[in-house]
Amino acid sequence: MIIRGDEPEQIRLIKKLYKPGNYFMQGNEALSYGALFAGCRFYAGYPITPSSEIAETMARELPKLGGYYLQMEDEIGSIAAMVGASWTGFKVMTATAGPGFSLMQENLGYAVMTETPLVLVDVQRSGPSTGQATKGAQGDFFQARWGTHGDHPIVALSPTSGQDAFWEVIRAFNIAERLRTPVVVLFDGVLAHTRELVKIPDVEEVEITYRKLPANEEEAKLPFGDPHGDGVPPMPLFGHGYFTHVTGSTHKENGLRDVYTPEVHDKLVRRIHRKIEQNRHVYEKYEEHFTDDAEILVVSWGVTARPALGAVLKAREEGIKAGLFVPKTVHPFPGERMRELGKKVRAVLVAEMNLGQMIIEVERYLNDDVLLKGVNKIGGVPLTVEEILREIRGVA
């Protein structure tokens, strides 16, 4: 479902505007077209390198589909506008980079607490602070998880190519709608500006999801209840005649504030966690290469997963039993699968464009007898096949 009640017309427009086929495009462009196919019809943003091509593409294409592009004064206003538009029924997205991602953290927490479906793309660049504005990095792994304050769950995905970005942003929208939650997409400046082959499918091949709406007036009166037992409340939309109160303060099932009763806060926050934890099947995803017989396991994500696979292939040509594990959903981390793989290998190398972030998650799931080592590089230049291969050889 693209926009509830308007699917046939939207499908007709997409078929007319975007012919299926192979295209040569930037990762940022591929991600943008994925968002359009997923049904995104509202984008509020502020341009920032290296994400600006996403804003440019959405500004050009959204009006053709009856959508809205809103240029905001800053990143704080951008995510606030997204929250408002989502409550009227739009599928919404913004894109930013490190400094803008920092500014969005308070309202990201607001979206978690108000259970507002939205997609936030962070095209990671080299930091801290302004850093290397035009250079890619993978330094926001833990900012995506813990950037906003308080006990909160988050779902974060990480594509490994332009083609992958097209499909992963569609998956991000489906997760956001299915679980009524914000979803972060951790892209990076290298993939964002890499031009490569991207296959655009027929829109009718794309499976898309729309949020659960109230079945009746009684459900609409409890916008933060759990009538179906899956932790995900139906979402009464503004402009549909419902009396709906939305606040980032602790609230009861009817949405009204109650910041004094410990049990109300406990019940609300635990349910928000539970709806993520008990629905792992909705979002958990990873790729494996040669893990059946691997003795040395490389773990990587995002852009670094590409040279990591090249290194594993070359290592196997040399007779080294290497394998690769690539979490596509990086938060919540696929810890149980990591634990299973860790029991079968004698060494784990974690390759990433930072000084060691995912490796901290990996370490939580390994036994002490497994050698764990980071393969790290910063400065805006990705790790190469040879650099990762050298570390595999060293361990072997």
Side-chain angles (χ1 to χ4, degrees):
M1 190 166 296
I2 296 176
I3 295 176
R4 178 133 319 176
D6 192 29
E7 301 87 355
E9 176 62 13
Q10 288 292 314
I11 290 172
R12 185 192 68 79
L13 280 171
I14 290 177
K15 281 179 171 287
K16 178 182 177 182
L17 291 168
Y18 313 118
K19 303 297 183 185
N22 295 325
Y23 295 85
F24 189 62
M25 65 174 69
Q26 279 190 354
N28 276 344
E29 294 175 291
L31 186 148
S32 302
Y33 287 114
L36 295 171
F37 275 54
C40 178
R41 295 297 178 267
F42 183 90
Y43 182 101
Y46 184 83
I48 181 172
T49 304
S51 75
S52 295
E53 293 84 2
I54 297 175
E56 292 170 7
T57 304
M58 298 302 278
R60 184 183 68 239
E61 300 300 326
L62 273 172
K64 301 175 185 177
L65 294 166
Y68 300 88
Y69 172 89
L70 189 58
Q71 170 77 48
M72 294 300 291
E73 72 274 15
D74 58 25
E75 290 85 355
I76 299 171
S78 299
I79 188 170
M82 287 169 59
V83 170
S86 183
W87 274 93
T88 70
F90 278 101
K91 290 185 178 182
V92 301
M93 185 178 80
T94 192
T96 188
F101 193 38
S102 297
L103 289 172
M104 290 184 178
Q105 292 303 323
E106 182 181 2
N107 276 334
L108 180 58
Y110 182 83
V112 172
M113 191 64 153
T114 58
E115 301 178 74
T116 303
L118 59 83
V119 173
L120 196 172
V121 180
D122 174 26
V123 185
Q124 299 168 93
R125 75 188 208 189
S126 185
S129 188
T130 309
Q132 297 171 288
T134 62
K135 302 292 185 181
Q138 292 180 297
D140 300 349
F141 179 83
F142 277 122
Q143 187 186 20
R145 177 63 190 92
W146 297 113
T148 196
H149 66 280
D151 289 309
H152 67 281
I154 203 76
V155 177
L157 316 181
S158 183
T160 56
S161 68
Q163 183 72 74
D164 200 30
F166 177 90
W167 289 106
E168 285 297 280
V169 79
I170 292 171
R171 192 165 73 93
F173 274 100
N174 287 345
I175 295 166
E177 296 287 319
R178 169 68 178 80
L179 299 181
R180 221 183 109 178
T181 189
V183 174
V184 175
V185 178
L186 286 173
F187 211 31
D188 65 81
V190 180
L191 292 176
H193 290 157
T194 297
R195 293 186 183 274
E196 56 187 338
L197 180 70
V198 175
K199 182 179 180 180
I200 301 296
D202 187 294
V203 65
E204 296 193 68
E205 298 174 22
V206 179
E207 293 185 14
I208 49 182
T209 302
Y210 194 76
R211 67 198 63 167
K212 189 191 308 176
L213 300 177
N216 50 54
E217 289 289 334
E218 291 306 308
E219 283 192 3
K221 291 176 183 177
L222 299 174
F224 301 96
D226 186 14
H228 304 290
D230 60 356
V232 185
M235 187 173 180
L237 303 178
F238 290 177
H240 287 248
Y242 301 124
F243 176 80
T244 304
H245 190 271
V246 180
T247 176
S249 296
T250 296
H251 44 273
K252 296 176 285 189
E253 291 184 349
N254 62 7
L256 297 178
R257 294 174 77 248
D258 182 347
V259 298
Y260 300 107
T261 309
E263 292 79 13
V264 170
H265 184 82
D266 183 275
K267 182 179 180 181
L268 170 65
V269 176
R270 286 185 188 275
R271 179 185 58 74
I272 291 173
H273 276 78
R274 189 178 74 250
K275 76 174 181 181
I276 303 299
E277 292 163 2
Q278 73 181 21
N279 285 296
R280 254 180 200 272
H281 64 282
V282 174
Y283 58 79
E284 187 165 89
K285 183 181 178 182
Y286 46 79
E287 290 181 359
E288 296 184 30
H289 302 270
F290 311 109
T291 56
D292 288 346
D293 66 346
E295 297 177 357
I296 299 170
L297 182 68
V298 179
V299 181
S300 194
W301 61 289
V303 62
T304 311
R306 297 173 71 159
L309 178 57
V312 165
L313 290 169
K314 285 186 175 294
R316 294 186 74 87
E317 289 174 3
E318 297 176 9
I320 301 171
K321 290 185 176 179
L324 177 65
F325 181 56
V326 182
K328 305 301 284 292
T329 304
V330 295
H331 299 299
F333 190 74
E336 289 309 308
R337 185 53 182 159
M338 185 70 250
R339 193 191 310 277
E340 292 169 1
L341 293 173
K343 292 176 181 178
K344 302 193 298 182
V345 301
R346 58 188 178 89
V348 174
L349 301 176
V350 184
E352 45 188 340
M353 282 181 70
N354 56 47
L355 293 180
Q357 295 193 26
M358 181 177 277
I359 192 173
I360 297 172
E361 280 284 357
V362 172
E363 185 177 23
R364 296 172 58 207
Y365 299 98
L366 296 183
N367 294 332
D368 292 340
D369 59 349
V370 177
L371 173 66
L372 176 63
K373 185 177 182 182
V375 185
N376 308 104
K377 188 175 183 179
I378 58 175
V381 180
L383 281 157
T384 66
V385 170
E386 188 57 40
E387 287 169 334
I388 300 172
L389 179 59
R390 188 185 310 131
E391 297 295 332
I392 295 174
R393 289 176 182 144
V395 170

